[in-house]
Amino acid sequence: MVFAGSPDEIADRVLHLHGLLGHTRQILQMDVGGMPQRDFLRAIELLGTKALPQIRGELAKP
């Protein structure tokens, strides 16, 4: 499974899969060799500061 796109697109993909599978954990693996370190670190930052809060917010709704 590939997760690529903006933080909103990543959050939407995870939420869609949660709706289908009902999973409570998502493990992501990133290829460090194929991108500059600054881009890799920025991707991690965006996952933690943009995508994750959006996912948690949606899952917290009744």
Side-chain angles (χ1 to χ4, degrees):
M1 206 172 294
V2 175
F3 290 85
S6 70
D8 289 338
E9 292 169 318
I10 301 297
D12 288 345
R13 176 84 168 146
V14 170
L15 290 167
H16 175 74
L17 286 171
H18 174 74
L20 293 174
L21 305 173
H23 67 296
T24 59
R25 299 267 193 273
Q26 183 70 50
I27 298 172
L28 302 175
Q29 180 176 346
M30 297 174 67
D31 176 18
V32 265
M35 63 192 324
Q37 183 184 20
R38 71 182 183 293
D39 295 341
F40 182 76
L41 294 175
R42 179 68 177 146
I44 293 170
E45 178 183 0
L46 289 171
L47 282 170
T49 62
K50 303 291 183 187
L52 184 58
Q54 184 177 342
I55 293 165
R56 285 183 173 158
E58 286 296 317
L59 293 178
K61 291 180 181 178

